Amino acid sequence: MTIRLPRSAPESQGISSNAVSRFLQAIAENDIELHSLMLVRHGQVVAEGWWAPYAAPLKHKMFSLSKSFTSSAVGFAVTEGLLSPDDKVLSFFPEDVPNDPSPHLEAMRVRHLLTMATGHTADTIDPMKMTPDGNWAAEFLRLPVDKAPGTHFLYNTGATYMLSAILRKATGQNLLDYLRPRLLEPLGIEGATWETCPRGIAIGGYGLSITTEDIAKFGQLYLNKGLWGERRILPENWIEEATSKQIANGDEGESDWAQGYGYQFWRCRHGVYRGDGAFGQFCIVMPQQDAVLAITSGTNDMQGVLNRVWEHLLPAMRPGAAAEDPQAYAELNAQLKGLKLEPPERTPSSPRERSLPAETYRLEENERTWKALAIRFEKDEAVLTFQEESEIHELRCGRESWAEGTSKLLEGTDSRLAAAFTWENPDRLLLTLRFIETPFCITAAVDFEDDEVRFSYRINVGFGGQEAPPIRGRLR
């Protein structure tokens, strides 16, 4: 069942339209790429917007904001008596216990997974993903635990996976199936997906995809201390524990990553807490202001996003209604409806479009395993065909406008794509590929010279290098 939060003018809920406009302007002036936002005050959506080609119906990858949903699933299981935060981690995996477990491993409890205080000194997720048999839990238990659990904070995505694996053991269900009747259906969260490990267990620490309004509803549930309307979803004491500082993670200075950590929730300055994910996926809960802010984005400047929230939105929230300002409200609505990320515009066409041969370029060996590239031009589109060993990918790019479709180029599975092209000069084709259910955008250049081609590209955000080695090719 589709459930939408109620809507209201900002002034009716004690915040000026001008404050929201200033926030949007500050984001633009600092070149921070947001994809969506939804601001909720007193349970009413007072501002919402999507930067086209991103759109309200589209899900977006949450990355580590997924962790807060995993924490909620643990809360349900604790409430139902299926597990306890004080249960030993090893007790759930008798078949995977190492031959000689260390005292630190034996001392590790579920609460240490929740608080990122497992005692590891490096995130465990990469070695877990590399294990040949796909048994991530067994690999987690094999890795050294250098410190006593509970004494040392280390952000550890592998720990959240272990929560998901424990939930599978305790409930007999995968994480998404377990959450569906308890959390997702009551809140009207539809179509959620969650990536799994090779053994079919939800990854827990990342992999959830939901919409912006779904984030806002989740935050509103926590703001209401577990109540959804008149219905009790999660116990208030669990919400309090999960969002309180359970362990120190820094000096509590100017960084919002140093204010303490709860059960897969971050503490912030100003009495705020949040769930967040890489590249700017936010569920920001402001209890003192009775407000929630949901954001999706594709930025490396996550602190910059929070700084603008504290600077422009937080101080603008007043206890009572603000004076009506129809002009400011109309201007804000126009601003929100006009949000967009434009494709580059240089030169819309080139003589190359008529002179390019119909043959295919054979590509040199490359990390993408592309074997060949063909390009043709139609009236309003450039059509690129990438040939792999056993698969062909066709990519349609609009002429200085977005052409929407799907592509497997990003992760090997169909992803929604908005793509555009322009010409930087007669011999250089520029491509912009926005994978609009993710933070990722690829910008590419195709350089033509005689019978050769050079394909180079970079990605806007990433965990490793963002620029790929160029790929060269020659006409067959």
Side-chain angles (χ1 to χ4, degrees), residues 87-101:
D87 286 341
K88 289 188 173 183
V89 172
L90 285 178
S91 70
F92 294 95
F93 305 95
E95 70 281 8
D96 294 320
V97 175
N99 292 331
D100 187 20

Side-chain angles (χ1 to χ4, degrees), residues 45-68:
V45 176
V46 296
E48 58 187 313
W50 286 260
W51 279 255
Y54 303 87
L58 299 179
K59 299 191 295 288
H60 202 282
K61 282 185 180 291
M62 295 294 101
F63 287 90
S64 286
L65 179 48
S66 309
K67 291 178 168 71
S68 302

Side-chain angles (χ1 to χ4, degrees), residues 239-272:
I239 301 283
E240 292 285 357
E241 279 187 50
T243 61
S244 297
K245 180 179 176 180
Q246 297 291 339
I247 189 169
N249 63 350
D251 60 4
E252 299 187 359
E254 293 299 305
S255 169
D256 284 293
W257 280 260
Q259 309 299 315
Y261 196 76
Y263 294 166
Q264 311 282 294
F265 284 89
W266 297 90
R267 294 297 306 179
C268 308
R269 292 172 289 166
H270 312 293
V272 174

Side-chain angles (χ1 to χ4, degrees), residues 182-373:
R182 293 164 176 83
L183 177 73
L184 305 184
E185 289 177 356
L187 271 60
I189 296 176
E190 300 177 332
T193 60
W194 211 315
E195 297 170 39
T196 61
C197 76
R199 297 200 168 192
I201 298 169
I203 293 171
Y206 61 90
L208 176 65
S209 289
I210 54 176
T211 69
T212 308
E213 186 153 359
D214 295 337
I215 302 171
K217 288 187 283 193
F218 179 71
Q220 189 64 34
L221 174 69
Y222 269 76
L223 181 64
N224 291 343
K225 299 188 182 299
L227 281 175
W228 188 251
E230 300 298 317
R231 179 177 175 182
R232 170 64 61 186
I233 302 293
L234 274 167
E236 183 173 348
N237 65 339
W238 177 263
I239 301 283
E240 292 285 357
E241 279 187 50
T243 61
S244 297
K245 180 179 176 180
Q246 297 291 339
I247 189 169
N249 63 350
D251 60 4
E252 299 187 359
E254 293 299 305
S255 169
D256 284 293
W257 280 260
Q259 309 299 315
Y261 196 76
Y263 294 166
Q264 311 282 294
F265 284 89
W266 297 90
R267 294 297 306 179
C268 308
R269 292 172 289 166
H270 312 293
V272 174
Y273 64 86
R274 74 185 189 279
D276 75 27
F279 318 124
Q281 323 318 313
F282 286 107
C283 179
I284 303 167
V285 181
M286 300 167 260
Q288 295 172 21
Q289 291 76 23
D290 193 27
V292 172
L293 180 61
I295 288 175
T296 63
S297 54
T299 180
N300 287 316
D301 189 9
M302 291 174 65
Q303 184 65 67
V305 176
L306 293 174
N307 288 346
R308 274 75 199 179
V309 175
W310 311 150
E311 180 181 356
H312 296 286
L313 298 181
L314 211 63
M317 297 185 196
R318 306 299 181 190
E324 290 187 13
D325 191 338
Q327 182 176 344
Y329 181 44
E331 289 173 355
L332 172 61
N333 276 335
Q335 189 177 9
L336 289 165
K337 289 176 182 176
L339 295 172
K340 54 188 172 182
L341 298 172
E342 298 277 16
E345 296 182 7
R346 301 290 189 274
T347 304
S349 62
S350 161
R352 279 274 180 188
E353 294 185 30
R354 297 185 298 275
S355 62
L356 273 173
E359 290 91 341
T360 297
Y361 293 92
R362 185 181 299 278
L363 301 176
E364 64 185 14
E365 189 174 333
N366 59 84
E367 61 183 20
R368 299 304 302 260
T369 69
W370 293 336
K371 302 297 183 183
L373 168 65

Side-chain angles (χ1 to χ4, degrees), residues 26-38:
I27 290 294
E29 289 172 352
N30 286 274
D31 293 322
I32 297 173
E33 182 180 302
L34 298 193
H35 296 161
S36 72
L37 68 83
M38 183 173 287

